[in-house]
């Protein structure tokens, strides 16, 4: 782990671990989450992604200067974790959200979408395939992210027609509706009486966009 600089706080991290996979997630930085086969590998992957996440923070107008990592919460993962999704809603996720914090959540999620859109826009039509020939190309990845955002919007209580990946106006309207909810202060209760509190919703939405943005980068031949 990175050496801590005197006088600066470490990055608070929550870890969810199942038998074959673990996720490390930066508690106060939506979207900055990485996985590994073990807790130690997940934490190493999180630290390695700091430079990439810095672009998101910059887009959101945030000062970003990681100073070591402090695991503040460990939870047991489940089938979602094993599948490859940070699925555990932690006590950190259920904290109340002040007006400034809510605005910050919205800005960081919006920044994650902006970074995803930018990377997808300049991606080649075809990406390098996996060792067995698997992996979606950018157009399929974009469609997947938009479809997933639509499901996430429903989880937040938004009932909109699923946007066509080519309909930028519809996508913008859906995202703005999601951001409007995230930018509301909250006592930490689940949104729309369902399961996701605002902090978890922000983390999940931003993580999914960035996970696929970084996938596109990793599978682009240089």
């Amino acid at each position: 782990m990175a050496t801590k600089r005197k006088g600066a706080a470490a990055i608070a991290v929550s870890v969810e671990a199942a038998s074959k996979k673990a996720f490390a997630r930066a508690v106060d930085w939506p979207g900055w989450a990485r996985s590994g086969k073990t807790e130690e590998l997940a934490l190493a992957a999180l630290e390695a992604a700091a430079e990439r996440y810095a672009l998101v923070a910059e887009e959101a107008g945030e000062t970003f200067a990681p100073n070591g990592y402090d695991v503040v919460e460990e939870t047991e993962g489940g089938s979602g974790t094993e599948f490859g999704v940070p699925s555990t809603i932690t006590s950190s996720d259920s904290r109340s959200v002040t007006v400034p914090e809510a605005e910050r959540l919205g800005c960081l999620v919006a920044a994650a979408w902006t970074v995803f859109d930018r990377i997808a826009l300049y991606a080649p039509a075809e990406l390098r395939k996996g060792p067995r020939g698997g992996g979606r190309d950018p157009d399929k990845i974009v469609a997947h992210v938009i479809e997933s955002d639509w499901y996430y919007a429903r989880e937040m209580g938004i009932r909109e027609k699923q946007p066509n990946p080519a309909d930028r106006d519809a996508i913008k309207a859906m995202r703005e509706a999601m951001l409007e909810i995230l930018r509301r202060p909250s006592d930490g209760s689940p949104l729309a009486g369902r399961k996701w509190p605002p902090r978890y919703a922000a983390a999940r939405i931003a993580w999914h966009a960035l996970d696929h943005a970084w996938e596109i980068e990793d599978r682009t031949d240089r």
Side-chain angles (χ1 to χ4, degrees):
M1 288 300 163
T3 301
K4 293 183 181 180
R5 296 184 305 278
K6 185 176 181 180
I11 298 293
V13 176
S14 65
V15 173
E16 63 180 87
S19 59
K20 297 179 181 179
K21 181 166 286 190
F23 270 93
R25 182 153 57 94
V27 169
D28 295 314
W29 295 95
W32 188 13
R34 304 311 291 154
S35 65
K37 291 184 178 180
T38 65
E39 176 179 336
E40 291 75 18
L41 290 174
L43 288 165
L46 182 77
E47 183 175 0
E51 184 175 351
R52 282 173 149 175
Y53 191 82
L55 297 177
V56 180
E58 180 181 2
E59 184 70 36
E62 289 282 329
T63 299
F64 187 72
N67 179 37
Y69 301 82
D70 183 14
V71 177
V72 297
E73 188 167 6
E74 297 184 72
T75 58
E76 183 177 352
S79 58
T81 316
E82 298 281 26
F83 183 71
V85 176
S87 305
T88 302
I89 297 174
T90 68
S91 60
S92 297
D93 293 324
S94 299
R95 291 174 295 158
S96 60
V97 185
T98 64
V99 171
E101 287 173 330
E103 179 62 27
R104 180 175 180 273
L105 289 181
C107 286
L108 285 165
V109 172
W113 277 326
T114 296
V115 168
F116 171 77
D117 290 345
R118 185 184 301 140
I119 290 172
L121 178 64
Y122 292 104
E126 295 184 358
L127 299 176
R128 184 175 59 253
K129 303 303 181 185
R132 298 182 181 179
R136 291 173 285 209
D137 286 323
D139 59 341
K140 299 294 185 183
I141 292 175
V142 169
H144 166 69
V145 169
I146 292 168
E147 180 182 23
S148 296
D149 283 341
W150 179 69
Y151 283 110
Y152 297 160
R154 292 176 65 85
E155 192 67 33
M156 297 167 71
I158 299 169
R159 293 293 182 266
E160 299 273 352
K161 181 180 178 181
Q162 184 175 343
N164 185 298
D167 190 342
R168 300 308 303 177
D169 288 339
I171 294 166
K172 180 180 178 181
M174 178 182 71
R175 288 176 173 178
E176 287 179 346
M178 296 167 76
L179 292 174
E180 194 277 327
I181 289 175
L182 292 176
R183 285 180 165 131
R184 298 173 187 169
S186 169
D187 64 1
S189 298
L191 296 168
R194 295 175 67 84
K195 295 181 180 179
W196 290 5
R199 291 181 188 273
Y200 178 79
R204 176 70 172 267
I205 295 163
W207 162 79
H208 192 246
L210 294 175
D211 190 56
H212 286 296
W214 297 342
E215 175 196 355
I216 291 171
E217 288 186 327
D218 290 342
R219 292 177 51 222
T220 295
D221 289 320
R222 304 298 179 183

